[in-house]
Amino acid sequence: MRLVLVGPPGSGKGTQAERLVSEFGLTYIGTGVMLRDAIARGTETGKHIEPLLKQGLLAPDPMVNEVVAELFRSEGRPTCFVMDGYPRTYSQAIAFDALLKQQYLSLDAVVNLTIPDDEVVRRISGRRCCPSLQCGICFNVNFRPPQVSDKCDRCGSTLILRDDDKEETVRRRLGEFHKNTDSLLSHYRQKKLVRDVSATDPVDVIFENIIAALRGDPDGVAAKH
Ligand code: AMP
C-alpha cells in the first residue's frame, strides 16, 4: 500500500503513520525527520533550511523534492510506504507524481485528517518529542504520555518541546498549512484519492476510521495488501 497523510500539525499524523506502518508493514517516510537530520548533519541543505524550520516556515519545494527523490532513487528505495508531511504543497504533489511515475509506482490513497485550528493549538502545547535522530517519536502529555515522565519510551532520551511546536510558531504553521493545502487536496480529489477522516476522536477511533475509509475504496486498498 502507498499512502500520503495530510493534516495540520497536531492532527496526530505521526501517530497514525506509525500505526499504519505496524498494521501494513509500510516504510515510514517523514520529511520533518529527514530535514532535521540534514540540519543535524550540517549538510548544505541543512544549513539553508535551519532558520526556516525554526520560524515554522516551509523549506523550499526544490530542496524537499530533492531529499525525497534521493530516497526513491536509492538502491533500497521504498515501494510500500506512508508519507508523513510530504507532499505539502501543490508543486510538491506534481513533483512527487512525476517521481512515482518514473519509479513505476502509484498512490493508493491520500488520508486527510481534519481538525479545527484551536484544537490544534490546545494539543500542541502538550507535545514532547524525542530529540534522537534514530527515534524522533512524539508523545503528548495529555493524550499519549510516555511511560516515564519526559523520557522516550523507545530510547530513554529526555523529551523536548521543539521550537516549531511553540504556540506562536504553531499559529504560523497553521497559516502556511491552510495556504498550501487547498490546492494540494483539490489535485488529489480530482484523482479520487482523498479519504477525509476526522482527527478530533481518540487515537484508536481515528485509526479505525482510517482503515474503514481505506476499505471503502472501490478497489479495496486495505483489503488488497
Ligand atoms: P513536521 O515534522 O512534518 O511537522 O515538519 C517540521 C518542519 O519541517 C515543518 O514545519 C517544515 O518547516 C519542514 N518540513 C517538513 N516537511 C516539509 C515539506 N514537505 N515541505 C516543506 N517543509 C517541510
Side-chain angles (χ1 to χ4, degrees), residues 13 31-33 35-36 53 56-59 64 84-86 88 92 162 164 173:
K13 249 185 320 132
T31 41
V33 175
L35 297 178
R36 280 192 288 277
L53 262 76
L57 298 171
L58 290 187
V64 190
D84 174 10
Y86 182 93
R88 240 175 169 103
Q92 290 180 13
R162 297 186 326 203
D164 52 3
R173 289 169 73 192

Side-chain angles (χ1 to χ4, degrees), residues 200-213:
T200 49
D201 292 312
V203 170
D204 289 344
V205 176
I206 299 171
F207 186 64
E208 279 165 26
N209 289 339
I210 292 177
I211 300 294

Side-chain angles (χ1 to χ4, degrees), residues 4-7 61 85-97 107 110-112 176-191 193-194:
V4 168
L5 273 184
V6 177
D61 287 339
Y86 182 93
R88 240 175 169 103
T89 63
Y90 175 74
S91 138
Q92 290 180 13
I94 299 298
F96 194 46
D97 282 355
L107 288 176
V110 174
V111 176
N112 178 35
E176 289 253 334
F177 174 78
H178 293 302
K179 200 175 77 192
N180 292 312
T181 309
D182 286 0
S183 51
L184 174 82
L185 286 174
S186 335
H187 172 71
Y188 285 129
R189 279 192 207 284
Q190 270 173 20
K191 293 173 175 272
L193 286 173
V194 180

Side-chain angles (χ1 to χ4, degrees), residues 129-202:
C129 294
C130 177
S132 156
L133 291 178
Q134 287 75 38
C135 210
I137 312 178
C138 290
F139 299 83
N140 193 298
V141 292
N142 303 312
F143 313 104
R144 191 198 176 207
Q147 281 164 8
V148 177
S149 172
D150 283 338
K151 299 283 176 204
C152 175
D153 284 357
R154 193 184 285 168
C155 72
S157 301
T158 300
L159 302 173
I160 55 162
L161 174 62
R162 297 186 326 203
D163 279 345
D164 52 3
D165 285 341
K166 293 182 177 154
E167 175 164 353
E168 189 195 323
T169 319
V170 172
R171 295 266 177 209
R172 201 176 300 132
R173 289 169 73 192
L174 280 169
E176 289 253 334
F177 174 78
H178 293 302
K179 200 175 77 192
N180 292 312
T181 309
D182 286 0
S183 51
L184 174 82
L185 286 174
S186 335
H187 172 71
Y188 285 129
R189 279 192 207 284
Q190 270 173 20
K191 293 173 175 272
K192 307 219 179 309
L193 286 173
V194 180
R195 311 282 176 268
D196 295 302
V197 176
S198 166
T200 49
D201 292 312

